[in-house]
Amino acid sequence: MRKLSKIVLAAAMAGLSPSSSFACATCFGKSDAPLAHGMNWGIFTLLGIVVLMLSSIATFFFVLLRREAAAQAKKVAEENLSGAQV
């Protein structure tokens, strides 16, 4: 029971504390701080990696489709040549 009252007291203190105590300089609004610039570069880097990976996957499937179309066109051309020789 004593442990539960400590947890309730800690939760009440956290809920009643000022909201500025939860925010760092970047989140609270000092956007020209070095921490904000670093966070922005981190976000852009991760975004770039996601875009690179998705474009790589799309390129892979595009290459597969082109190879399949080329193989099918070659097969049709060979069938037309063999049919014309008969």
Side-chain angles (χ1 to χ4, degrees):
M1 186 66 173
R2 192 158 174 90
K3 191 174 186 177
L4 180 62
S5 63
K6 285 182 182 181
I7 292 173
V8 171
L9 179 65
M13 288 176 62
L16 297 175
S17 66
S19 62
S20 63
S21 66
F22 294 122
C24 61
T26 304
C27 301
F28 192 61
K30 190 175 180 182
S31 62
D32 60 339
L35 183 63
H37 294 295
M39 187 175 69
N40 287 338
W41 274 107
I43 290 169
F44 292 137
T45 301
L46 290 176
L47 185 62
I49 289 171
V50 168
V51 168
L52 179 69
M53 292 304 295
L54 289 177
S55 62
S56 298
I57 292 169
T59 303
F60 172 72
F61 283 112
F62 181 70
V63 168
L64 284 181
L65 287 173
R66 280 188 22 204
R67 284 185 183 178
E68 193 269 334
Q72 191 172 10
K74 184 178 178 183
K75 182 180 175 184
V76 168
E78 288 175 356
E79 287 176 359
N80 289 341
L81 285 177
S82 66
Q85 292 176 356
V86 175

